Amino acid sequence: DTGVSQNPRHKITKRGQNVTFRCDPISEHNRLYWYRQTLGQGPEFLTYFQNEAQLEKSRLLSDRFSAERPKGSFSTLEIQRTEQGDSAMYLCASSRAYEQYFGPGTRLTVT
Amino acid sequence: GQQLNQSPQSMFIQEGEDVSMNCTSSSIFNTWLWYKQDPGEGPVLLIALYKAGELTSNGRLTAQFGITRKDSFLNISASIPSDVGIYFCAGQLGNSGNTPLVFGKGTRLSVIA
């Protein structure tokens, strides 16, 4: 049983560029979550999918952020016109019930 | 928004000692989860708790879901060097498991050999 995978693991980009991250959940999990974690903090919720439907979005998810989960399998998180404040670890988690299993994260650095 | 308060923020212990940490909230949660995170990695699920008063063990780890449903505790017995890391509590409000987790700020554990 493979775990949640995320790509890339690290991304360095210049301010103003667009970036896209990918998450592949555990295969039988229908729920997929995106979280953001900054230094010294716990993960904070961004958005949630059940199958292909995006059911909830946090106020943290500004209009520069968009997430998709076509066909209810992998998901992508895109950030447009990146800002230095977007530098963080972006975590993906999947679940079938209550327990959420996290991927290794994508570390974004905006210079 | 929801906030979970974890304490202590950090702790330094000798190898072989027992560790206790806790998490409190002003809100009632229906599920409590405990995770461990190593540097540069995602959180790894340690224990999940589903009912008030529940006590669950996973090897040397024991966690309890507080009776008031506003707190949870994690104990680690006979600590070893690989226990080093940041421990997070997370609460879930919903009844069907389809709600986001609310995390504390973590307890950083250092083990001195």
Side-chain angles (χ1 to χ4, degrees):
Chain A
D1 184 21
T2 56
V4 178
S5 61
Q6 291 187 247
N7 288 288
R9 291 294 309 276
H10 303 275
K11 179 71 177 179
I12 300 173
T13 191
K14 293 187 176 179
R15 189 175 53 190
Q17 298 293 307
N18 299 343
V19 294
T20 300
F21 309 140
R22 176 177 169 127
C23 171
D24 287 89
I26 294 171
S27 58
E28 65 269 25
H29 288 184
N30 61 340
R31 296 169 182 160
L32 187 148
Y33 302 80
W34 285 98
Y35 293 83
R36 181 171 70 185
Q37 185 178 27
T38 54
L39 202 61
Q41 304 293 319
E44 293 177 291
F45 168 71
L46 292 177
T47 190
Y48 154 58
F49 290 85
Q50 181 153 318
N51 300 313
E52 67 274 10
Q54 188 173 18
L55 296 186
E56 192 171 342
K57 290 194 278 188
S58 157
R59 285 171 296 177
L60 290 177
L61 209 69
S62 77
D63 55 7
R64 295 184 298 106
F65 287 68
S66 64
E68 294 183 340
R69 193 183 182 197
K71 302 179 184 178
S73 55
F74 70 92
S75 175
T76 58
L77 178 69
E78 181 183 17
I79 309 174
Q80 295 184 326
R81 305 181 303 282
T82 52
E83 301 172 357
Q84 286 188 319
D86 296 332
S87 295
M89 174 81 95
Y90 289 84
L91 293 162
C92 174
S94 71
S95 76
R96 190 169 46 187
Y98 295 90
E99 299 170 7
Q100 294 185 20
Y101 295 89
F102 284 82
T106 294
R107 167 76 63 190
L108 173 67
T109 302
V110 181
T111 62
Chain B
Q2 309 291 338
Q3 289 217 341
L4 297 183
N5 300 307
Q6 276 191 257
S7 65
Q9 288 187 336
S10 62
M11 45 195 320
F12 291 82
I13 61 168
Q14 294 278 349
E15 184 178 355
E17 287 184 352
D18 297 342
V19 173
S20 291
M21 58 190 80
N22 68 76
C23 192
T24 60
S25 170
S26 57
S27 302
I28 290 174
F29 286 99
N30 289 318
T31 305
W32 285 93
L33 301 160
W34 284 91
Y35 290 86
K36 177 176 181 277
Q37 187 174 30
D38 293 329
E41 299 294 330
V44 174
L45 181 63
L46 299 174
I47 291 181
L49 302 158
Y50 303 106
K51 295 194 304 186
E54 178 182 357
L55 187 71
T56 297
S57 292
N58 177 9
R60 295 179 295 108
L61 278 60
T62 302
Q64 183 160 25
F65 191 143
I67 292 289
T68 64
R69 294 164 64 196
K70 292 183 177 181
D71 56 6
S72 180
F73 305 87
L74 176 70
N75 295 317
I76 305 173
S77 63
S79 58
I80 58 179
S82 62
D83 290 334
V84 166
I86 303 178
Y87 291 79
F88 289 99
C89 63
Q92 193 169 45
L93 291 168
N95 287 318
S96 58
N98 61 349
T99 54
L101 297 177
V102 177
F103 282 82
K105 291 188 176 183
T107 293
R108 181 181 296 274
L109 178 64
S110 300
V111 178
I112 304 166

